[in-house]
Every structure is written in C-alpha cells, then in structure tokens.
C-alpha cells in the first residue's frame, strides 16, 4: 500500500514540495480573460441575444394577449348588460301590451254591455208601447162593441128601428162623452 | 501507524491535488504533459469554453414560439439572471443591457466549478489567478463602465458622498476608493476559497482513510460523499453569489446613492 503510494506520488506530481497555490500566473490570467471574452462575444451573438429577444417578444405578446382578453371581457360584460336591459325592456313592453289589451277588453266588454242594455231597453220600450197601443185599441173596440150591443139592446127593447146613421152619431157622441 | 504517517504526508497529498500543474492525469493513460504556457487549470478553462460553445451553439429554433427542452433551461437561466440579478441591481435599462455579461459570468463559473467535481478534472476556480481575472472584469465595469455611463464627474459622485463635511471627505474618499478594490478582492477570494476548501475537505477525509486505516473507509466515504454533495450545491451557490455581487457592485457604481 505504501509502496504504491510512494511510487505513485512522484509520478503523479513531479514538482512535489513546490507550493504553487498562491503563485501568480499571468498566462492563466490572460487565458481566463481570453476564454471569458470569447464566450461573452460568441454567446452574446448566438445565445443571450436571441433568447433575450425571444423573451421580450413573448412578454410583449403575452401582455397584448392579456390586454385583449381584458377587452373581450369588458365587451362581454357590456353585451351582457345590454342584453339584460333589452330583456327588461321587452318584459316591460310585454307587460304594457298585456295591460293595455286587458283594459281594452274591459272597455269593449263595458261598451257591449252598455249597448246590450240600451237595446234591451229599446226592445222593452217598444214592447211596452205596443202593448199599450194594443190595449188602447182593444179598449176602443170594446167600447164600440159594447155601445153597439147597448144600442142593439135598446133597439130590441124599444122595438123601434132607428136610423143607422143617427145611431152612429149617438154612439160617437156617447164615446166622446165617455 | 506512526511510520505510515511519516511516509504519507497528507498536506503534500492535498496540495498536489488542488494546486495547478503542468500535466493532466487520466486513468490508464500516461500523464499528458502540457505546453509551457498552458497549465492544468488553463486547460480546464479551454475545456469549459469548448463545452459551453458546443452546448450553447446548438441550432436553436428562434422562430418557433415553443422553445426546446435545452432552450427552455437556458431561458430559465437568462430570465432568472435578468429578473432576479441584473434588473434589481442595475435598474431596468442597464440591467437588460448587462444581462449577457452576468449570464456569461454565471454559466462560465458554474461550469468551471462543476468540472472540478468530475474525477480527473481540476477546479480552475480554485485558482486565484482565474478568480482574480474574473473579479478584475467586474472591477473594470465598476470603474470604467461607471465612468463611461456617468462621466468622470458622475463617477466621482460615487466616491464623494454628498452632504458630508469637507474635513471628513479626506477620510471618506480614500476609504471609498480603496473599497472599490476591496470589493473586487473579496469577490476573488470568496470564489477561490470556497472552491478550494471543499476539495481540501474531501481530500482530507479520503487521506484520513490511509492515515487511520482502511476500517474507517465506510465512514470516511459517507462523509466525503456528503461533502461532495455539499460541494455541488456550493458550486451553484458560488456561481450565483459571484454573479449577484458583481451586479450589486456594478449597480452601486452605476447608480451611486444620492
């Protein structure tokens, strides 16, 4: 074990014992700069710049999309509001129409009722008048007949044939006086 | 036991594993010797860069609105850095402008940190030259970026607090000025020490197996595994903290308190 270590060490590190941990090394310093700036320039052109541009583009796109979504939402809200208003208006109109038609119907019914009443009144009056006329005629007829009967009766009783014309005069006078 | 300790120098073993080297050891292969200017940590930087380029340069369907899985993950990263790090610290305008810088900071440091968690790889961010170079970039933005943005006069406002009596300024201005460098220095040390410490703990626990004997292996293995998992978390955390603090420091200079 020790032998392998002892053999390995000089092979491994020929400058053994020489502590170079804090030794300045201008070549390494320069190499660091060269590699770093090479990377910086090449990666700037091929990696960082395209990535940053793509990121910014995407951010702008997302911002725009979010704005658009906001707009769409606002528009949708407006549409919903309009729709609600329209529905309310339509509802109101429908109610008005129903109310108006109900009123019209009630009025029409009233008119019809009124007309019917009037007509009934007319019919009733006509009937009453007809009845009255008939009654009067009937009464006149009755009087006339009863007078004739009375005359005939008196003729029979008196057995005296009187002039028919004279009789009629007497009867008319009699009716007038009645 | 005593002679074991004598022959096995734990500190050397740990140091050799965490410090920079001139060769790369892969299993079952002879060590790869690196050319003079390139060290192991330098190689790790190159590997991380190559890996990132391969992963991130894959053709993306930018036109398509729906990103692919990998693109989606990257997008989450970019979005997080932009909205949680850059914009809160720097405001919407400068934050968006500097987001690519912080994205690169984060993913580069994260990859370097995570590569250190892979066996046979090394942690480049556990080298203060690397973290120092990164912190210097932040410092440059704190100084020159702020000068470019606000002008020399605007920049001086960040150092000279308004409404302070003049004698106090002789004390405050140097403190503010030194504070700039201390902030960057703290950035460097924070990342460096965090990445180094985790590895040292893991290596110490594994080294203790040899010192104390193999019967401790299950216990040490569980402990090392727990630290390893913690280290993975720390790798993410430190990458985030470095990015966030860089953004905060740059933001403080870009928008000095009135």
């Amino acid at each position: 074990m020790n032998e392998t270590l002892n053999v390995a060490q000089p092979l491994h590190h020929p400058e053994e014992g020489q502590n170079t941990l804090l030794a300045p090394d201008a070549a390494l310093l320069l190499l660091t700069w060269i590699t770093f700036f090479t990377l910086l320039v090449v990666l700037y052109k091929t990696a960082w710049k395209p990535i940053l541009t793509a990121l910014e583009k995407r951010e702008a796109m997302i911002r725009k999309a979010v704005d658009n979504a906001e707009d769409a939402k606002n528009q949708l809200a407006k549409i919903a509001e309009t729709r609600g208003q329209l529905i309310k208006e339509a509802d109101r109109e429908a109610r008005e129409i129903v109310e108006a038609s109900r009123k019209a119907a009630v009025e029409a019914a009233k008119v019809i009722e009124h007309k019917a009443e009037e007509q009934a009144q007319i019919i009733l009056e006509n009937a009453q008048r007809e009845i009255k006329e008939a009654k009067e005629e009937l009464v006149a007829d009755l009087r006339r007949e009863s007078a004739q009967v009375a005359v005939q009766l008196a003729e029979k009783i008196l057995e005296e044939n009187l002039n028919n014309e004279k009789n009629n005069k007497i009867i008319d006078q009699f009716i007038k006086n009645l | 036991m005593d002679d074991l300790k004598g022959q096995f120098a734990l500190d050397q073993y740990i140091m050799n594993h965490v410090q920079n080297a001139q060769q790369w050891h892969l299993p079952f292969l002879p060590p790869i010797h690196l050319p003079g200017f390139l060290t192991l940590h330098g190689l790790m930087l190159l590997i991380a860069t190559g890996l990132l380029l391969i992963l991130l340069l894959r053709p993306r369907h930018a036109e398509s609105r729906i990103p692919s899985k990998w693109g989606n993950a990257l997008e989450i990263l970019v979005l997080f850095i932009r909205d949680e790090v850059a914009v809160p610290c720097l405001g919407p305008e400068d934050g968006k402008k500097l987001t690519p810088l912080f994205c690169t900071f984060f993913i580069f440091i994260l990859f370097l940190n995570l590569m250190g968690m892979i066996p046979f790889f090394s942690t480049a961010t556990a080298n203060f030259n690397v973290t120092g170079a990164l912190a210097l970039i932040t410092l440059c933005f704190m100084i020159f970026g702020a000068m470019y943005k606000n002008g020399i006069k605007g920049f001086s406002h960040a150092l000279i607090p308004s409404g302070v009596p003049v004698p106090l300024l002789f004390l405050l201005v140097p403190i503010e000025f030194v504070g700039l460098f201390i902030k960057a220095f703290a950035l460097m040390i924070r990342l460096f020490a965090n990445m180094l410490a985790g590895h040292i703990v893991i290596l110490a626990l594994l080294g203790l197996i040899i010192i104390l004997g193999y019967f401790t292996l299950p216990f040490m293995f569980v402990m090392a595994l727990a630290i390893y998992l913690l280290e993975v978390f720390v790798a993410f955390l430190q990458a985030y903290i470095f990015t966030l603090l860089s953004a905060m420091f740059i933001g403080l200079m870009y928008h000095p308190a009135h």
Side-chain angles (χ1 to χ4, degrees):
Chain A
M1 176 183 80
N2 293 330
E3 269 174 15
T4 48
L5 266 173
N6 287 337
V7 169
Q9 268 192 346
L11 222 169
H12 227 94
H13 304 283
E15 341 92 276
E16 194 183 334
Q18 194 186 337
N19 193 344
T20 59
L21 196 63
L22 291 175
D25 186 347
L28 189 57
L29 195 121
L30 272 175
L31 190 64
T32 309
W33 279 340
I34 291 165
T35 48
F36 181 82
F37 283 111
T38 309
L39 271 178
L40 184 60
V41 170
V42 175
L43 293 186
Y44 178 78
K45 284 256 164 73
T46 59
W48 309 139
K49 185 87 181 175
I51 290 174
L52 281 168
T53 320
L55 277 174
E56 252 149 54
K57 231 187 245 171
R58 197 176 318 146
E59 272 163 13
M61 200 182 76
I62 289 169
R63 208 169 296 135
K64 206 174 138 198
V66 168
D67 282 354
N68 282 353
E70 198 75 22
D71 275 1
K73 212 170 115 189
N74 285 347
Q75 255 170 358
L76 213 65
K78 227 179 261 174
I79 287 168
E81 203 181 314
T82 323
R83 195 183 54 191
Q85 255 174 354
L86 279 177
I87 288 172
K88 232 184 253 174
E89 216 161 287
D91 194 44
R92 194 172 53 77
E93 256 169 49
R95 220 174 279 229
E96 262 172 27
I97 288 166
V98 166
E99 198 65 35
S101 52
R102 186 178 295 153
K103 243 185 231 169
V106 167
E107 223 143 277
K110 257 186 207 165
V111 167
I112 290 167
E113 203 179 344
H114 193 70
K115 237 183 224 174
E117 251 170 37
E118 254 174 18
Q119 254 166 358
Q121 193 70 30
I122 288 167
I123 289 166
L124 194 69
E125 272 170 15
N126 281 355
Q128 275 174 341
R129 203 173 51 229
E130 266 167 34
I131 289 167
K132 203 177 161 192
E133 273 171 11
K135 194 178 147 191
E136 272 173 8
E137 215 168 294
L138 215 64
V139 169
D141 276 2
L142 204 65
R143 268 185 196 155
R144 209 176 289 128
E145 236 164 86
S146 60
Q148 269 175 352
V149 167
V151 170
Q152 277 172 357
L153 212 67
E155 263 180 9
K156 267 180 188 170
I157 295 168
L158 294 175
E159 281 180 328
E160 191 182 296
N161 199 7
L162 291 173
N163 193 346
N164 223 10
E165 208 179 305
K166 240 182 175 173
N167 282 354
N168 278 351
K169 245 184 209 170
I170 293 166
I171 291 162
D172 283 341
Q173 221 169 350
F174 178 71
I175 290 165
K176 254 181 210 168
N177 290 343
L178 206 76
Chain B
M1 209 59 170
D2 274 334
D3 68 342
L4 243 175
K5 247 186 255 175
Q7 281 171 35
F8 178 67
L10 184 58
D11 57 335
Q12 271 307 317
Y13 157 78
I14 291 171
M15 287 315 283
N16 283 330
H17 270 89
V18 294
Q19 70 190 11
N20 208 350
Q22 209 55 53
Q23 45 183 259
W24 191 16
H25 296 271
L26 289 169
F28 315 118
L29 287 174
I32 299 165
H33 287 275
L34 300 168
F37 62 92
L38 192 68
T39 55
L40 184 58
H41 287 163
L43 183 68
M44 293 301 132
L45 289 175
L46 291 179
I47 292 173
T49 308
L51 213 61
L52 274 171
L53 288 180
I54 290 168
L55 281 175
L56 270 66
L57 287 193
R58 293 210 312 194
R60 285 168 42 79
H61 304 284
E63 297 307 312
S64 143
R65 271 188 191 167
I66 299 149
S68 61
K69 268 184 195 170
W70 178 238
N72 218 343
L74 263 181
E75 242 183 54
I76 291 168
L77 169 74
V78 174
L79 204 61
F80 177 76
I81 299 283
R82 192 191 72 179
D83 291 345
E84 307 295 326
V85 175
V87 171
C89 292
L90 285 136
E93 200 183 311
D94 296 318
K96 275 178 187 165
K97 245 187 244 169
L98 286 183
T99 300
L101 174 77
F102 298 125
C103 288
T104 315
F105 260 139
F106 181 80
I107 207 152
F108 189 46
I109 294 171
L110 179 68
F111 263 61
L112 290 174
N113 290 351
L114 287 178
M115 266 173 63
M117 305 313 299
I118 304 168
F120 309 112
F121 282 75
S122 177
T123 323
T125 39
N127 187 314
F128 83 98
N129 290 297
V130 174
T131 60
L134 294 172
L136 269 174
I137 294 168
T138 301
L139 185 66
C140 283
F141 271 91
M142 283 163 74
I143 296 173
F144 302 115
M147 278 182 187
Y148 174 75
K149 187 185 181 298
N150 300 329
I152 304 285
K153 213 176 164 194
F155 174 72
S156 65
H157 277 304
L159 293 184
I160 305 165
S162 54
V164 175
V166 176
L168 261 182
L169 284 179
F170 287 103
L171 190 67
L172 276 179
V173 172
I175 289 177
E176 289 277 346
F177 189 69
V178 172
L180 278 179
F181 297 93
I182 290 176
K183 278 171 190 162
F185 187 74
L187 269 184
M188 170 184 100
I189 295 295
R190 185 178 296 109
L191 183 57
F192 163 62
N194 269 290
M195 294 327 293
L196 186 68
H199 285 72
I200 289 180
V201 173
I202 291 174
L203 291 168
L205 286 169
L206 294 179
L208 277 175
I209 298 170
I210 296 165
I211 291 178
L212 299 178
Y214 279 106
F215 65 92
T216 57
L217 194 142
F219 176 71
M220 293 303 173
F221 176 76
V222 170
M223 286 290 286
L225 187 67
I227 298 290
Y228 179 89
L229 293 175
L230 182 70
E231 268 275 86
V232 173
F233 170 67
V234 168
F236 281 91
L237 186 71
Q238 288 305 320
Y240 168 63
I241 285 178
F242 190 97
T243 312
L244 179 69
L245 288 178
S246 288
M248 272 177 64
F249 294 156
I250 294 170
L252 280 177
M253 294 308 293
Y254 271 36
H255 306 284
H258 306 293

